Amino acid sequence: MAVLRDPVAGNGRETVQLRVHLAIVDFPMLMASFRTVIEAEADMVVAVETTDRGLVIDDISAARPDVIVTACDPSDSFGCSTYESIEAIRVAAPDVKIITLDCRCAADQLQNAFRAGANGYLTREANGQDVVAAIRSVVAGHTYVSP
């Protein structure tokens, strides 16, 4: 987590900010919505936004986030490659918490996401409060599934 000095001169307090990496490829409105929700929280900041699948791992290394939120990663064939992406993130950054978004590409995607290494799972019905709760939950070491 990034530690930022309180801007009020001389008080000596520090504020911890959770660094969030948004890897929501092909959905710019969804990315913008997540950014708005996250940055409305005083203790959260969007550290990086990745819109190119090929740069996700590089951006994790550069931004050093606490949490990555990744959307469905459709493959060129039937199904999706979200689980392979989660596994690659887990290998590259074992301490980063991973929240994945529902993509409805398989009936057993919830189990597959957690098996691949996700810490949290948000459904399409999730609202802003769910996003914030998911981030706080996984950072605290808990597993999160949208209600």
Side-chain angles (χ1 to χ4, degrees):
M1 288 178 242
V3 178
L4 304 175
R5 294 265 175 221
D6 190 321
V8 178
N11 72 6
R13 293 186 315 201
E14 295 180 341
T15 304
V16 175
Q17 282 203 309
L18 299 175
R19 297 174 55 82
V20 180
H21 177 171
L22 296 177
I24 303 175
V25 178
D26 297 331
F27 301 104
M29 281 299 295
L30 187 58
M31 179 90 82
S33 296
F34 269 77
R35 181 183 340 101
T36 299
V37 166
I38 291 164
E39 292 196 340
E41 298 297 309
D43 63 337
M44 294 183 189
V45 64
V46 174
V48 65
E49 296 178 16
T50 303
T51 57
D52 181 333
R53 283 180 194 87
L55 297 177
V56 171
I57 301 300
D58 290 340
D59 285 351
I60 290 170
S61 297
R64 301 179 58 211
D66 300 298
V67 179
I68 183 168
V69 178
T70 184
C72 181
D73 194 7
S75 66
D76 295 332
S77 60
F78 177 76
C80 64
S81 60
T82 302
Y83 316 116
E84 292 84 4
S85 297
I86 293 169
E87 290 169 345
I89 293 166
R90 182 60 57 225
V91 168
D95 295 330
V96 171
K97 304 300 183 187
I98 303 168
I99 298 171
T100 191
L101 307 179
D102 171 22
C103 65
R104 300 189 178 155
C105 65
D108 57 351
Q109 73 175 23
L110 176 66
Q111 295 89 346
N112 290 339
F114 285 117
R115 195 172 309 133
N119 303 96
Y121 183 87
L122 289 168
T123 64
R124 291 180 185 201
E125 294 76 25
N127 61 38
Q129 294 168 326
D130 295 325
V131 172
V132 171
I135 292 169
R136 293 189 195 291
S137 180
V138 299
V139 167
H142 305 289
T143 299
Y144 185 90
V145 177
S146 287

